[in-house]
Each structure stands twice: as C-alpha cells, then as structure tokens.
Amino acid sequence: MKVVLADTGPIVAYLNGRDRYHAWAVAVFKQLRPPLLTCEAVLSEAVFLLRSAPGGGDPVLDLVRRGVLRATFDLQGEVTAVSRLLQRYGSVPMDLADACLVRMSELHPRHRVITVDRRDFRVYRRNKREAIPLVCPPDR
C-alpha cells in the first residue's frame, strides 16, 4: 500500500489493545509503507487520548522517533487554507486535525487518509468537490 495520511483514530487503535479497532489497525499498519504522514494536531490528539493507557502517549512519540509517523504539515504556511476549511465545515463540526488532514490530502492527492472517522471524512471534500480517498475499517 502506498504512503498514507494518518488520522488520530488509527494511531490510537494501533497502540491501544483495548480499542475496538485495534485488530483492524494492526493488520492495516502491517501493509503500510512508512512513513505515515500526519500533522502535529493529530499527534497531540493521540498523545492526549492515550494518556490513561499503559505508557501514556510515549508510544506515539516513539513512532515519530522511529520514523513510522512523520509530521510534515506546515500549519503556519497553510493557515489560510485550514481556516477556510474550518469555516466551511463548521457545522460537521470539523476540528483542527481534520482540517489539516483535508489540506494535506489536497497537497498530496495520491495519498489516502487512514481514519476510523468514516462519517465525517465522507462529508469533507478536498479542493471543494473531490471525495477524499480513505482507508477505513469495514462497516459494522
């Protein structure tokens, strides 16, 4: 599988054996070619969500250290585009991490977004009208 843009959910699921998507995330991560590109907002969410898990957020940072995850997004340079996305999808609601990933999808059109948040990412559009290619757990 080609390089992907990583959302928070799959990272948390991969690292947390109690997550309902853990088995799916482990299987998918084995098929991915590192680095998985992401943004600092996703890393911040993942560290926060894993704060009560064994090891806390350190495993997220370890994935960064090892080059499995790479935060390549420059929010400073993309703040206008991200702000427009947040305004456009304010009713979804869209958070900063999702806005950054949608913008990253515009900048890296060959990469798919790996997410467990199928509902919102099926609403979001890159370049105002293009569906974002996704890697998601199967519908239940």
Side-chain angles (χ1 to χ4, degrees):
M1 190 179 295
K2 292 184 179 188
V3 175
V4 297
L5 308 173
D7 192 11
T8 307
I11 296 168
V12 170
Y14 177 74
L15 295 171
N16 181 358
R18 293 183 179 163
D19 190 283
R20 72 183 198 176
Y21 298 115
H22 177 71
W24 170 83
V26 169
V28 170
F29 270 55
K30 287 179 183 177
Q31 300 173 26
L32 300 176
R33 189 181 77 215
L36 283 65
L37 305 183
T38 194
C39 61
E40 290 177 353
V42 163
L43 296 174
S44 177
E45 284 182 352
V47 168
F48 177 78
L49 291 172
L50 289 166
R51 70 192 179 282
S52 300
D58 283 346
V60 175
L61 300 179
D62 187 52
L63 291 175
V64 174
R65 268 190 223 83
R66 293 183 10 232
V68 175
L69 295 173
R70 184 175 296 157
T72 60
F73 188 68
D74 174 24
L75 180 56
Q76 187 69 42
E78 298 294 336
V79 70
T80 301
V82 168
S83 180
R84 283 188 198 125
L85 286 165
L86 287 167
Q87 290 171 4
R88 181 177 307 128
Y89 293 105
S91 65
V92 171
M94 175 183 264
D95 64 20
L96 180 62
D98 288 356
C100 291
L101 286 170
V102 171
R103 182 62 183 147
M104 288 179 76
S105 180
E106 293 173 342
L107 297 171
H108 302 281
R110 292 182 164 185
H111 298 357
R112 297 192 288 171
V113 173
I114 182 172
T115 184
V116 298
D117 191 7
R118 175 191 317 264
R119 187 182 66 226
D120 289 346
F121 273 91
R122 288 227 169 121
V123 171
Y124 303 150
R125 294 289 181 258
R126 63 181 180 194
N127 303 314
K128 296 186 180 178
R129 44 179 93 91
E130 295 174 31
I132 298 169
L134 303 175
V135 177
C136 298
D139 287 327
R140 292 184 180 217

